[in-house]
Amino acid sequence: MSEAHAVLEAQCAVCHVQTAGAFSAKASDAACLSCHDGPLHHAGQAQAIGCAECHTEHRGRVNLVAGKNQTCAQCHGDLRTSNGVTRIAEHIESFEDGHPEFAALRSSDGGVARDPGTIKVNHAIHMKPIRRGPNGPNVQLECGDCHQTAVASAERKYADARYTAASTTYSSEDLVFTAKAGALPLPRLTAPSGRERMAPVKFATACAGCHSLAFDKRFAEGVPHDKPEVVHAFLVKKFGEYIAAHPAELREERDPGRDLTGNPLAGAFRVYTPKEWVATRIKDAEELLWRKTCKQCHALAPGAGENNLPQIEPARTTVKWMPHAKFDHDAHQGFACASCHEKALSSTETSDVLLPGIATCKTCHAPGPEHAESRCFECHTYHDWSKRKEVKPTFTLPALSTGGR
């Protein structure tokens, strides 16, 4: 029997019904469900499938989840639903036969699929030698400098401790794109390692080392990477503290280099009140931030409210591109990122979807011992584990050793 059921090898009556001294050939669904609650697939499935049709025992120490493609194809080869409506491909025999291109790379209107994210990034530029900051040296970025899993402990070469240590007021809803409903979640017994998917790229750990948020030559530090309201409050505080410590700057000499041809010349000096000086400096700083610095990466909506502050569009970073499939980056860690995500080397638009297509996966995942596993179970789960119910345990250790229940 399989490893999971090896303890029952001498307990035939646990799974098989005994009639006239002989055991039934197949285990009953009731016997399976007395230990396992395996909820149905989709609510609209047209036919009920017995447990043993997919999970066949007495084949040695095999993985019972590793079902045959034919088992899946008995429905998906000519898919029918109880309500007559299907949202997925109707004729799939296997990964090699009938499986369509991944949904993330298909557009609903037949056009080119688009990334819903709003953070402006040109991958092609970042994958070539690029200057680190306004006055820094040229550096060669690697994919892992920005893209890492949630639990990765690799060095963050372009992080800035001032930002990694700072708290922020935006939430995960501002960062992550909410996936469409309808995916089958993994079993609760499958504990995630944190290395399955890439975590959203964060300014503090991936961008701050190159992209300065400087706002005024009087200060070495930049503004917080936060909502405009937080940035505005920071500027009010910094400029207020500064002019209180440097009152001589209330008397400002005109800079001839800023004179515009045709405009009347201002006086040689201008004297501000502290409030006027702070307001002027904030206006100049926010002009730089909203129109250049922040806008370089973020989509900004028109200003509103008392201070006419812009609204930052949510980043809408997609974390799980294939909600109907299982994928684990950790299992692919031996491959260079660009060998699968080749399009990242030439992508210039934020809207580009940089996932590898099905042809890339088929390079390794194919039938035969010289290839990686390609059967349906490798990427898909059947049972809708969100509807799982807990079962009442019936076995005791002494009972197992003596043959009872």
Side-chain angles (χ1 to χ4, degrees):
M1 295 181 72
S2 64
E3 185 174 351
H5 293 154
V7 70
L8 302 175
E9 282 189 336
Q11 318 294 327
C12 301
V14 170
C15 301
H16 299 276
V17 177
Q18 186 174 12
T19 304
F23 290 106
S24 59
K26 285 188 176 182
S28 67
D29 284 355
C32 299
L33 294 174
S34 67
C35 291
H36 310 283
D37 175 61
L40 292 177
H41 194 25
H42 284 288
Q45 67 183 67
Q47 58 179 306
I49 300 175
C51 305
E53 292 187 51
C54 299
H55 306 294
T56 307
E57 264 292 5
H58 300 292
R59 294 183 292 130
R61 295 290 192 261
V62 298
N63 178 9
L64 284 184
V65 176
K68 299 178 180 179
N69 283 346
Q70 291 84 345
T71 304
C72 300
Q74 65 180 316
C75 290
H76 284 273
D78 187 19
L79 189 63
R80 296 287 183 270
T81 61
S82 59
N83 59 10
V85 178
T86 59
R87 296 183 300 153
I88 58 177
E90 300 177 11
H91 304 287
I92 305 177
E93 298 289 339
S94 65
F95 187 52
E96 300 77 31
D97 184 2
H99 196 297
E101 180 59 272
F102 302 137
L105 295 169
R106 306 194 311 266
S107 174
S108 58
D109 60 5
V112 178
R114 296 176 63 84
D115 188 331
T118 64
I119 302 299
K120 302 171 187 175
V121 59
N122 183 320
H123 277 86
I125 286 179
H126 284 80
M127 294 309 296
K128 298 174 182 177
I130 188 172
R131 185 176 298 280
R132 180 175 184 176
N135 303 306
N138 278 1
V139 295
Q140 177 62 63
L141 298 177
E142 298 179 357
C143 301
D145 292 329
C146 298
H147 300 283
Q148 294 189 15
T149 60
V151 297
S153 58
E155 178 189 3
R156 296 283 194 168
K157 292 191 292 186
Y158 302 101
D160 188 316
R162 292 172 296 182
Y163 288 99
T164 55
S167 59
T168 57
T169 61
Y170 50 82
S171 64
S172 59
E173 286 74 20
D174 296 312
L175 296 174
V176 178
F177 178 73
T178 303
K180 296 179 181 178
L184 300 184
L186 294 178
R188 278 178 284 173
L189 293 177
T190 303
S193 67
R195 293 180 176 273
E196 293 84 4
R197 298 189 294 272
M198 293 294 154
V201 175
K202 294 184 177 181
F203 175 83
T205 55
C207 313
C210 297
H211 293 274
S212 169
L213 299 186
F215 61 97
D216 190 279
K217 62 183 180 182
R218 297 172 180 83
F219 305 98
E221 64 183 308
V223 297
H225 184 257
D226 213 314
K227 294 181 178 179
E229 296 83 355
V230 176
V231 173
H232 181 78
F234 173 85
L235 294 174
V236 171
K237 181 175 183 292
K238 293 300 290 186
F239 283 123
E241 291 175 345
Y242 181 87
I243 198 60
H246 304 83
E249 291 198 23
L250 291 172
R251 179 182 171 87
E252 185 178 87
E253 183 177 359
R254 189 185 90 244
D255 181 3
R258 297 176 65 86
D259 292 338
L260 297 178
T261 303
N263 287 355
L265 295 180
F269 292 92
R270 178 175 177 180
V271 179
Y272 294 92
T273 66
K275 185 177 181 179
E276 290 173 337
W277 188 91
V278 170
T280 300
R281 298 288 82 77
I282 290 176
K283 180 179 181 297
D284 291 343
E286 291 186 340
E287 184 90 358
L288 168 67
L289 293 168
W290 308 150
R291 293 197 177 186
K292 183 179 183 295
T293 306
C294 301
K295 198 172 182 178
Q296 184 176 6
C297 299
H298 292 278
L300 275 64
E306 179 183 356
N307 298 304
N308 197 36
L309 299 176
Q311 300 297 310
I312 305 293
E313 293 289 333
R316 292 200 285 271
T317 300
T318 300
V319 175
K320 187 173 183 180
W321 281 96
M322 300 180 180
H324 293 276
K326 299 177 290 183
F327 180 82
D328 191 343
H329 274 98
D330 203 32
H332 297 79
Q333 62 181 326
F335 295 95
C337 302
S339 65
C340 292
H341 301 278
E342 184 179 6
K343 289 185 287 186
L345 300 176
S346 58
S347 169
T348 60
E349 299 294 333
T350 304
S351 59
D352 293 341
V353 178
L354 304 182
L355 261 64
I358 191 171
T360 300
C361 298
K362 286 181 176 179
T363 303
C364 297
H365 294 274
E370 71 279 8
H371 291 96
E373 180 64 75
S374 67
R375 285 176 289 173
C376 305
F377 76 89
E378 180 73 2
C379 299
H380 297 284
T381 185
Y382 174 87
H383 298 291
D384 185 354
W385 293 103
S386 66
K387 297 180 175 60
R388 175 181 177 176
K389 304 179 183 66
E390 298 300 331
V391 297
K392 183 179 180 180
T394 57
F395 290 111
T396 62
L397 292 177
L400 284 176
S401 61
T402 58
R405 286 192 73 183

